[in-house]
């Protein structure tokens, strides 16, 4: 694999605690995950992203850490984690972990010391104000669940800042000691063997918060410091950032104004995610085409991470009110399916009405667009959501492995209920059932990922929408790279279509179809390419010598 291995990867993300229990306590653990690595290898993924693994009171699903140098004892020991890294490496799988350092838990020893005395060496590790800040009720991440971003602490006799919940005080990144400590955290895990970090809430990490100033300055140079630090420790280490910001701000996260790619390696493409969902809702590819045309140019080495579902709600905040309402009407008609007035807390299978054709179409489109695809655990078998769970927990239910008790996740009462009833219950949707069916969604994902791994121009090349008259609902785009050229056809509509791409035939060399939703006639001179309702075709135009 190349030094820029992340451009040729398929990333699989999971919560260790809901993936596989090995010791019968109802909580997934590292040993359980180790036992499922061969499943992931067969699926075709080569990068594993683990959600927070640190010790935590568990008030925000692990995003409230009490020790950045340890692992949650419910998941196992540091030795178990080291064994996971070893066994994953044996299978060619790199492991990245969540870096959640915008804040700590209020039970973290640093914060406990900080509130105990103004003379504490950790007092300035957090953000304080002696008077009530004027922007106390602004900038909330969880509207409806938060009422403020500054809270008065009686023991500390001061207001402390928390961009998220009040039990998650923000670290003060204007303090050089905090910056130095975070570098130690990065170095510790890299030394242990992780291949990189998914950085949570990056815009808030580089925000140098000033009480009463909702437009506090941003220090992008700190991202350059972190990039340099991790690559001194491990040359191929990668930083994958969550930065859901306006398009014009995105290039600053990749590199400095001079065009150097010296900051973050990869960014989640939230803009594409919203437009993909909008395109699926309207059965019209124009939102995707528009973003492909206006996507900011990345510096060398910069990469997008694409996704349809992640561990949070589908965030529609970058869409217009009209666009958002179209998506809600199609995919979240009930208020219980929505979250924070901006998103949908459902998995893709139920969102698309269980229509296998549309589900394949959606993932075929995501995986064939520029960037590195990220797949949420359980999506490969079409798992559903549990809307009886609170908030984001609706899509954080245990993995459904078999017909056994609790879907084979655990013999004990699980940490979170396994979906047991309805068309998405574990007796209907599980790995074992699909493993014995060569026409299952799981088998389809394996074939698609295998085809993608043979098409490196998708992740490492350019991506261009074909600008010519096309039937309604059809998107055609191409990927060009040193290894050759691919062209992809996707029909987002319910009517069959025929596409004429004969203009591309002159540059083709023995073009052939490599993946499709059904058997189609040979591609010939590309002048009459059939597409079924919700159909898709991957065609290799040429392969480089």
């Amino acid at each position: 694999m190349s030094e820029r291995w992340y451009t040729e990867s398929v990333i699989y993300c999971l919560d260790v605690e809901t993936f596989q229990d090995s010791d019968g306590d109802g909580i997934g653990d590292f040993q359980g995950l180790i036992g499922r690595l061969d499943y992931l290898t067969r699926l075709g993924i080569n990068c594993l992203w683990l959600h927070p693994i640190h010790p935590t009171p568990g008030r925000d699903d692990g995003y409230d850490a009490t020790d950045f140098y340890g692992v949650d004892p419910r998941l196992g020991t540091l030795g178990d984690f080291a064994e996971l890294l070893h066994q994953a490496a044996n299978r060619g799988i790199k492991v990245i972990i969540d870096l959640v350092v915008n804040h700590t838990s209020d039970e973290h020893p640093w914060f406990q010391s900080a509130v105990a005395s103004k003379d504490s060496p950790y007092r300035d590790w957090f953000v304080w104000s002696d008077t009530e800040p004027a922007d106390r009720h602004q900038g909330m991440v969880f509207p409806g669940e938060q009422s403020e971003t500054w809270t008065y602490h009686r023991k500390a006799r001061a207001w402390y800042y928390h961009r998220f919940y009040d039990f998650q005080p923000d670290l003060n990144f204007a303090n050089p000691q905090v910056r130095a400590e975070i570098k130690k955290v990065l170095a510790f895990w890299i030394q242990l063997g992780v291949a990189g970090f998914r950085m949570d809430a990056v815009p808030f990490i580089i925000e140098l918060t000033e009480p009463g100033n909702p437009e506090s300055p941003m220090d992008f140079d700190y991202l350059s410091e972190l990039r340099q630090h991790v690559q001194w420790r491990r040359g191929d280490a990668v930083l994958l950032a969550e930065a859901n910001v306006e398009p014009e701000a995105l290039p600053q996260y990749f590199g400095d104004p001079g065009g150097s790619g010296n900051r973050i390696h990869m960014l989640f493409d939230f803009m594409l995610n919203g437009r993909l969902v909008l395109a699926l809702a309207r059965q019209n590819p124009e939102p995707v085409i528009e973003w492909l045309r206006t996507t900011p140019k990345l510096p060398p080495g910069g990469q997008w991470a694409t996704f349809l579902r992640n561990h949070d709600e589908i965030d529609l905040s970058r869409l217009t009110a009209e666009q958002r309402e179209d998506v809600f009407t199609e995919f979240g008609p009930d208020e219980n399916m929505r979250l924070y007035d901006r998103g949908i807390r459902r998995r893709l299978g139920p969102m698309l009405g269980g229509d296998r054709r549309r589900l394949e179409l959606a993932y075929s489109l995501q995986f064939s667009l520029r960037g590195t695809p990220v797949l949420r655990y359980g999506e490969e078998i079409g798992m559903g959501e549990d809307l009886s769970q609170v908030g984001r927990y609706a899509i954080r239910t245990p993995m459904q492995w078999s017909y056994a008790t609790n879907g084979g996740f655990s013999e004990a009462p699980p940490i979170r209920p396994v979906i047991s009833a309805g068309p998405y219950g574990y007796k209907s949707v599980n790995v074992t059932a699909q493993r014995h069916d060569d026409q299952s969604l799981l088998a389809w994902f394996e074939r698609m990922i295998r085809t993608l791994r043979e098409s490196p121009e998708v992740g490492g090349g350019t991506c261009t929408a074909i600008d010519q008259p096309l039937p309604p609902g059809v998107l055609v785009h191409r990927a060009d790279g040193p290894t050759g050229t691919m062209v992809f056809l996707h029909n987002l509509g319910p009517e069959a279509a025929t596409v004429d791409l004969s203009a591309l035939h002159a540059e083709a060399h023995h073009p052939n179809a490599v993946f499709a939703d059904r058997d189609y006639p040979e591609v010939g001179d590309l002048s009459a390419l059939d597409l079924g309702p919700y159909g898709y075709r991957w065609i290799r135009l040429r392969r480089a010598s």
Side-chain angles (χ1 to χ4, degrees):
M1 192 177 291
S2 69
E3 291 180 2
R4 292 175 180 166
W5 58 268
Y6 53 90
T7 66
E8 300 173 15
S9 291
V10 176
I11 301 174
Y12 189 89
C13 63
L14 61 86
D15 296 283
V16 176
E17 65 179 15
T18 55
F19 199 62
Q20 180 67 73
D21 173 24
S22 72
D23 57 8
D25 64 356
I27 302 171
D29 45 49
F30 296 129
Q31 290 296 334
L33 175 52
I34 290 171
R36 295 296 186 179
L37 287 176
D38 290 329
Y39 165 80
L40 298 177
T41 302
R42 176 168 172 169
L43 180 60
I45 68 100
N46 50 6
C47 181
L48 189 57
W49 158 30
L50 305 182
H51 297 316
I53 60 173
H54 303 307
T56 172
R59 299 180 68 184
D60 186 23
D61 208 22
Y63 288 87
D64 48 335
T66 57
D67 178 8
F68 293 121
Y69 295 100
V71 297
D72 188 334
R74 301 175 308 159
L75 309 181
T77 65
L78 266 180
D80 293 325
F81 181 71
E83 179 66 13
L84 168 65
L85 296 178
H86 173 70
Q87 293 295 342
N90 285 345
R91 294 162 175 82
I93 298 175
K94 295 180 183 291
V95 178
I96 64 176
I97 64 172
D98 258 356
L99 182 72
V100 189
V101 294
N102 168 70
H103 53 259
T104 71
S105 164
D106 61 1
E107 297 181 27
H108 195 292
W110 298 344
F111 190 69
Q112 291 293 302
S113 174
V115 301
S117 169
K118 286 190 175 183
D119 297 326
S120 165
Y122 294 103
R123 182 72 170 201
D124 194 41
W125 283 42
F126 298 88
V127 184
W128 301 96
S129 176
D130 291 330
T131 59
E132 179 180 347
D135 60 344
R136 173 185 169 191
H137 299 290
Q138 298 181 36
M140 291 171 289
V141 175
F142 303 127
E145 295 183 10
Q146 283 177 276
S147 59
E148 59 187 6
T149 52
W150 289 89
T151 294
Y152 186 74
H153 198 289
R154 293 182 180 276
K155 187 174 182 180
R157 297 183 179 181
W159 298 81
Y160 68 94
Y161 183 65
H162 53 91
R163 175 65 79 163
F164 294 86
Y165 295 112
D166 61 4
F167 54 82
Q168 294 170 321
D170 273 33
L171 286 166
N172 177 17
F173 280 88
N175 185 337
Q177 291 179 308
V178 171
R179 294 184 175 217
E181 188 68 24
I182 299 309
K183 289 179 181 177
K184 291 179 183 177
V185 171
L186 291 165
F188 174 84
W189 293 103
I190 288 175
Q191 192 68 35
L192 202 59
V194 304
F197 305 88
R198 177 265 184 183
M199 296 179 64
D200 186 62
V202 170
F204 305 144
I205 291 176
I206 61 176
E207 180 182 46
L208 305 181
T209 306
E210 298 172 348
N213 182 8
E215 302 295 332
S216 295
M218 310 280 278
D219 185 2
F220 284 94
D221 288 340
Y222 184 52
L223 298 179
S224 300
E225 291 180 33
L226 294 180
R227 165 75 172 260
Q228 185 180 59
H229 183 71
V230 299
Q231 297 209 275
W232 275 348
R233 296 302 178 114
R234 176 171 174 164
D236 66 346
V238 66
L239 297 175
L240 167 59
E242 177 193 46
N244 190 359
V245 298
E246 294 293 341
E248 57 270 19
L250 289 168
Q252 300 178 81
Y253 289 86
F254 285 106
D256 60 35
S260 298
N262 59 353
R263 292 175 180 165
I264 298 297
H265 300 81
M266 303 176 71
L267 279 181
F268 286 105
D269 197 343
F270 284 95
M271 297 294 292
L272 176 63
N273 178 248
R275 279 149 181 76
L276 271 172
V277 176
L278 176 62
L280 293 171
R282 290 180 169 178
Q283 300 187 9
N284 185 327
E286 283 304 317
V288 175
I289 295 172
E290 177 195 13
W291 180 236
L292 290 180
R293 289 173 176 162
T294 59
T295 299
K297 183 179 180 180
L298 304 187
Q303 179 78 337
W304 297 109
T306 68
F307 63 101
L308 278 169
R309 289 304 294 114
N310 62 8
H311 58 298
D312 294 332
E313 74 282 359
I314 296 176
D315 190 338
L316 308 174
S317 60
R318 300 294 169 189
L319 301 181
T320 67
E322 179 184 1
Q323 292 171 335
R324 197 158 46 244
E325 190 56 39
D326 285 350
V327 176
F328 280 143
T329 299
E330 182 70 18
F331 296 143
D334 299 336
E335 192 65 34
N336 190 36
M337 299 173 177
R338 308 176 187 181
L339 196 61
Y340 309 132
D341 295 324
R342 67 172 183 236
I344 295 176
R345 62 187 201 109
R346 306 184 69 193
R347 281 193 182 257
L348 202 64
M351 281 174 52
L352 296 175
D355 190 330
R356 171 73 179 271
R357 300 172 304 167
R358 296 187 72 189
L359 195 57
E360 288 185 13
L361 170 76
Y363 276 108
S364 171
L365 181 54
Q366 180 216 332
F367 274 59
S368 63
L369 290 171
R370 83 288 183 275
T372 298
V374 180
L375 181 66
R376 171 79 170 154
Y377 81 92
E379 288 292 302
E380 73 275 18
I381 58 172
M383 278 178 55
E385 71 272 349
D386 182 357
L387 294 175
S388 69
Q389 296 295 304
V390 175
R392 294 168 164 179
Y393 289 106
I395 57 168
R396 299 179 183 181
T397 58
M399 181 67 175
Q400 296 167 198
W401 293 105
S402 70
Y403 299 101
T405 303
N406 296 319
F409 164 71
S410 176
E411 295 181 357
I415 184 173
R416 211 163 293 141
V418 180
I419 298 175
S420 58
Y424 298 96
Y426 68 82
K427 293 185 179 179
S428 300
V429 177
N430 66 66
V431 170
T432 298
Q434 297 195 23
R435 176 63 72 227
H436 295 290
D437 179 4
D438 62 5
Q439 298 302 311
S440 68
L441 184 62
L442 175 61
W444 178 86
F445 262 101
E446 291 174 354
R447 291 193 297 272
M448 179 185 68
I449 292 174
R450 188 163 59 244
T451 305
L452 179 69
R453 296 284 296 275
E454 294 175 343
S455 311
E457 49 272 274
V458 176
T462 61
C463 177
T464 311
I466 301 296
D467 187 13
Q468 70 175 54
L470 294 168
V474 172
L475 167 63
V476 180
H477 69 281
R478 60 185 292 168
D480 295 272
T483 52
T485 298
M486 300 276 291
V487 64
F488 305 92
L489 295 77
H490 290 88
N491 181 8
L492 278 65
E495 303 295 332
T498 300
V499 179
D500 180 2
L501 296 180
S502 56
L504 300 178
H505 190 257
E507 60 182 289
H509 184 257
H510 298 296
N512 67 293
V514 296
F515 190 65
D517 64 301
R518 62 176 68 173
D519 289 331
Y520 288 104
E522 294 294 326
V523 299
D525 62 1
L526 307 175
S527 64
L529 299 172
D530 294 331
L531 274 178
Y534 307 118
Y536 52 88
R537 300 180 71 172
W538 296 16
I539 298 172
R540 175 164 288 287
L541 283 188
R542 64 177 184 85
R543 186 178 292 280
S545 301

